[in-house]
Amino acid sequence: MGKNYGQMYNILGWGDPYFTVNQQGHLNVKPHGRDTTPAEEIDVHAVIEKALATTTNDGGDKKAQFPMILRFPDVLKNRLDSLHAAFSGAIESTGYRSRYQGVFPIKVNQNKAVVQDLVKFGHGYSYGLEAGSKPELLIAMSCLTGAKPGAYLVCNGYKDADYVALALSARAMGLNVIIVLEMEEELDIVVEQSAKLGVEPVIGIRAKLLTKIDGHFGSTAGKHGKFGMLAGKIYEVAQKLKKMGKLHWLQLLHFHVGSMIPTTDVVYKATSEAAGIYCDLVNKFGAAEMTTLDCGGGLGVDYDGTRSGSSDMSVAYGLEQYASSVVQAVRLMCDDNGVAHPVLCTESGRAMTSHHSMIILEALSAIPEPLDDEDTHDQLLTKIHHLSTKQPAYRRGAAAATIAMAAVDDMHSHATDLKKHGIEMYKLGRKLSKRVSGDANTIYNYHMNLSVFSLVPDFWGIGQLFPMMPVSRLNEKPTVNSTLVDITCDSDGKIEKFILDRVTLPLHPLAAEGGYYVAALLSGAYQEALACRHNLFSGPTLVRVESESAGGGGGGGSGFKIASVELGPTSEEVIGTVRYDVKKDIIAVIQKVATDSGVWPMVEPLMKKGLATMPYLNEYKAPKTT
């Protein structure tokens, strides 16, 4: 195909082993990872074209509309198989004398197809689910009726009597439900509901570890963490259970130190600390029925492909290294204390689902961004330096006591000043970076059929970066330095920060015929769950893509088949979510005024079409670009 420009986006880093660029210069999916044969590779551009020509599942003549999410369930299965293979290998190589039995945390992606697929793919592993609320518990109860008996249903989160009663009813159904106590008070609720329903529970306790990680995801652990109990409080709960004659209820210890644990050193340290508490419960407090150590989430995803572990975007290990660290830490601690090796459970969600779906964005137009003529490189650097040296007057030449008193008196205003200066420095730094880029090439704002708030809310909310790249033309050098602008009326609806510390994304000039797509990859975790309704834009079209070998024909020899196409919510459905009665509050009111005005024949079909279609741009004619 000539030169391959995929590495401009570090696809060899974050994409391995699922994403490559093929001979046509198109983004390519290897649904079975390293076991994918050439005939099984899937051309993403071909998927998009076929999806656009496929009738949606709801019948009629509706076709897919942008934006869309492409799901590859075979990748989901490969991730699950790879996780279990990693733990099986670590258990066998270290002589660990128990097993691994994980769960998927529903909060990561509650979509029916995702949850049901994971239960189906994990049947042979007794793979279960984790729920953190009553709606999630109901989903888990339904889905796990088809799981292998013994699959865990781990109940986390803060609980009221209704939550506990529902969990106990699930146990009465024969599901392997474990109610994890977040606070000591929840034990009283469990005792009360158990007596009321006549169902004996199995409970776990969430440990609040001292081990923690830096960065955004580190607030979960440490003594000031939101969830769980410190070791001393855990032992008090064990004593309380013992006095009630209910210590046999306690069978699991759970911990979680963050969503993106950066290195295996932290994995090993946290697991060792938790295993020590587990051993104490068995040896010192007589919790002989303890069977399971639940290591929670934290198995990270290397979004930028650097394997550095130096930021919230990267982890410095793979599945095998993670599993080995967990198994070794527990084995050594239990052997040192003479405690039987527990069943190892993890609640890995991000690492299971991130790779299996991608968001496809349609480019609408590209407009050059004007430079700020008033600020040269030197002027911007001078402004940054000036802000970095700004300090309150009392800091310079004052006595220690005066400084201390002034610091207390001015604490709030000083904090505000620091925050203000930090934000200004960040904006100036970003402007400087873009100025440097802009000196070589004009920066273009690529207008995308996108809502940042609905499709990549983590970018807006916590600065999460996802690898992004064109779907096609990757055998041509991308020459346009670009930022992505969405169609919401909000200044935050813009993507101007990318992996590898870039402030622009290299793209190609738009062709007059359109059809230029950008993929946001590794986006299968949390984005759908966290999506909001800014401007009442909503969810995208969902396209399920199966390998022909997995689905059995129907793909026309293309290596894949479109198993389903589901349009995102219509405008009518979205309006209904904000408490409008569409027929009464919208249609009837508009009809009356339009009829009185004599324009109802014109308004009616337009209103019906507006209500029946997705809120995103449709049949958009982009202006010609150079």
Side-chain angles (χ1 to χ4, degrees):
M1 74 171 185
K3 191 158 183 179
N4 178 344
Y5 289 96
Q7 193 47 28
M8 288 185 67
Y9 308 92
N10 198 26
I11 192 171
L12 296 180
W14 53 262
D16 183 53
Y18 299 108
F19 305 105
T20 59
V21 175
N22 65 20
Q23 292 295 314
Q24 288 71 44
H26 296 170
L27 178 62
N28 211 43
V29 177
K30 300 173 73 173
H32 311 297
R34 292 183 177 84
D35 295 328
T36 306
T37 66
E40 293 171 325
E41 294 183 8
I42 299 175
D43 184 316
V44 174
H45 192 269
V47 169
I48 296 169
E49 295 299 315
K50 190 165 186 176
L52 290 172
T54 301
T55 303
T56 59
N57 286 18
D58 56 3
D61 58 354
K62 293 181 180 178
K63 298 294 194 301
Q65 182 182 334
F66 290 105
M68 63 175 67
I69 287 179
L70 306 184
R71 292 201 200 283
F72 298 87
D74 298 295
V75 174
L76 198 63
K77 183 178 186 302
N78 185 267
R79 293 299 290 171
L80 191 62
D81 290 341
S82 298
L83 176 68
H84 284 85
F87 270 97
S88 294
I91 286 170
E92 182 178 353
S93 65
T94 59
Y96 193 82
R97 295 182 299 278
S98 190
R99 68 183 190 278
Y100 170 75
Q101 187 177 324
V103 298
F104 173 71
I106 294 175
K107 68 179 181 182
V108 174
N109 193 319
Q110 301 105 330
N111 184 275
K112 180 175 75 171
V114 175
V115 178
Q116 291 183 346
D117 276 346
L118 284 166
V119 172
K120 179 179 69 174
F121 298 151
H123 188 277
Y125 305 119
S126 295
Y127 192 65
L129 297 171
E130 180 270 344
S133 67
K134 283 173 277 191
E136 289 184 352
L137 177 53
L138 289 165
I139 290 173
M141 290 169 64
S142 171
C143 291
L144 288 179
T145 57
K148 190 174 182 179
Y152 290 137
L153 198 173
V154 177
C155 296
N156 289 330
Y158 296 123
K159 303 165 192 71
D160 60 10
D162 289 341
Y163 185 144
V164 171
L166 188 60
L168 290 171
S169 72
R171 187 157 188 83
M173 290 168 52
L175 299 178
N176 189 11
V177 177
I178 303 176
I179 301 172
V180 178
L181 306 180
E182 302 282 357
M183 303 181 294
E184 183 180 5
E185 303 91 283
E186 291 178 350
L187 178 59
D188 297 331
I189 301 174
V190 173
V191 171
E192 177 188 355
Q193 293 302 313
S194 173
K196 182 178 180 180
L197 298 175
V199 179
E200 190 165 67
V202 170
I203 65 173
I205 299 177
R206 178 164 177 166
K208 185 182 293 186
L209 301 184
L210 299 181
T211 304
K212 60 181 299 183
I213 61 177
D214 295 328
H216 170 78
F217 299 110
S219 60
T220 303
K223 63 174 63 178
H224 300 296
K226 177 181 177 182
F227 298 103
M229 307 177 214
L230 292 170
K233 184 61 68 175
I234 291 172
Y235 302 145
E236 289 179 17
V237 172
Q239 291 280 47
K240 186 174 181 179
L241 283 166
K242 192 171 185 178
K243 289 179 182 178
M244 291 189 298
K246 305 294 187 184
L247 190 55
H248 62 283
W249 287 1
L250 180 58
Q251 297 183 22
L252 176 144
L253 182 70
H254 168 51
F255 72 92
H256 177 70
V257 294
S259 182
M260 284 275 289
I261 301 177
T263 65
T264 53
D265 289 344
V266 180
V267 174
Y268 187 90
K269 184 178 179 183
T271 307
S272 295
E273 182 184 349
I277 298 172
Y278 181 96
C279 291
D280 284 346
L281 286 169
V282 174
N283 285 341
K284 297 180 180 179
F285 297 92
E289 300 297 321
M290 291 288 289
T291 61
T292 307
L293 181 62
D294 181 350
C295 302
L299 174 54
V301 171
D302 197 29
Y303 288 100
D304 62 14
T306 63
R307 279 290 182 101
S308 64
S310 60
S311 73
D312 289 339
M313 308 303 142
S314 178
V315 294
Y317 56 85
L319 297 178
E320 292 80 7
Q321 293 82 9
Y322 172 83
S324 178
S325 296
V326 170
V327 172
Q328 285 279 27
V330 179
R331 182 184 68 83
L332 290 173
M333 184 62 69
C334 288
D335 286 351
D336 286 347
N337 288 274
V339 172
H341 297 173
V343 175
L344 295 174
C345 179
T346 64
E347 301 175 3
S348 302
R350 182 187 299 272
M352 291 300 95
T353 59
S354 291
H355 299 77
H356 95 284
S357 73
M358 63 179 73
I359 303 168
I360 303 298
L361 309 174
E362 176 191 26
L364 302 174
S365 62
I367 299 175
E369 183 174 290
L371 290 175
D372 296 320
D373 296 330
E374 70 275 11
D375 286 327
T376 65
H377 299 141
D378 290 340
Q379 289 171 330
L380 288 168
L381 284 169
T382 299
K383 288 181 179 180
I384 293 171
H385 178 72
H386 175 67
L387 285 172
S388 69
T389 57
K390 267 193 171 183
Q391 301 180 66
Y394 65 77
R395 291 277 184 188
R396 299 191 295 270
T402 304
I403 292 175
M405 292 180 64
V408 172
D409 293 340
D410 296 342
M411 179 177 63
H412 296 296
S413 60
H414 180 42
T416 301
D417 287 343
L418 286 175
K419 182 177 180 181
K420 177 183 176 182
H421 295 158
I423 292 172
E424 290 176 357
M425 288 173 65
Y426 169 75
K427 290 180 177 179
L428 288 170
R430 190 170 64 182
K431 184 182 288 188
L432 177 60
S433 296
K434 291 179 70 174
R435 182 66 193 248
V436 172
S437 299
D439 281 352
N441 294 286
T442 300
I443 295 173
Y444 279 74
N445 290 323
Y446 273 55
H447 291 85
M448 314 297 290
N449 205 357
L450 154 76
S451 163
V452 168
F453 311 94
S454 181
L455 293 175
V456 282
D458 265 346
F459 173 82
W460 167 62
I462 62 173
Q464 174 72 52
L465 303 182
F466 299 93
M468 295 183 173
M469 64 185 297
V471 166
S472 61
R473 295 170 62 183
L474 291 163
N475 50 1
E476 305 172 29
K477 185 175 182 178
T479 58
V480 183
N481 291 331
S482 311
T483 59
L484 307 183
V485 179
D486 77 1
I487 58 173
T488 67
C489 56
D490 194 302
S491 59
D492 285 336
K494 186 174 184 178
I495 301 175
E496 50 186 351
K497 189 176 181 182
F498 304 90
I499 63 169
L500 306 179
D501 295 323
R502 285 179 173 159
V503 294
T504 59
L505 183 70
L507 296 177
H508 302 89
L510 296 185
E513 62 271 18
Y516 190 75
Y517 313 120
V518 174
L521 297 110
L522 309 191
S523 55
Y526 291 107
Q527 301 321 293
E528 293 170 78
L530 296 175
C532 69
R533 299 188 298 262
H534 192 296
N535 274 155
L536 293 187
F537 288 111
S538 58
T541 298
L542 300 180
V543 180
R544 183 180 177 89
V545 187
E546 295 180 355
S547 300
E548 284 191 304
S549 58
S558 57
F560 69 91
K561 72 170 186 176
I562 303 295
S564 64
V565 176
E566 300 177 27
L567 287 175
T570 64
S571 294
E572 180 173 0
E573 292 168 329
V574 179
I575 292 170
T577 66
V578 286
R579 304 299 180 94
Y580 288 90
D581 182 321
V582 175
K583 290 183 179 179
K584 175 182 173 184
D585 299 328
I586 307 295
I587 297 175
V589 172
I590 291 175
Q591 180 177 2
K592 182 179 185 307
V593 175
T595 300
D596 292 346
S597 303
V599 294
W600 178 238
M602 176 182 69
V603 173
E604 181 183 20
L606 298 175
M607 180 191 68
K608 285 184 176 180
K609 184 176 182 180
L611 287 172
T613 55
M614 290 168 57
Y616 293 94
L617 303 187
N618 193 23
E619 301 175 1
Y620 179 82
K621 302 299 182 184
K624 292 183 178 180
T625 57
T626 57

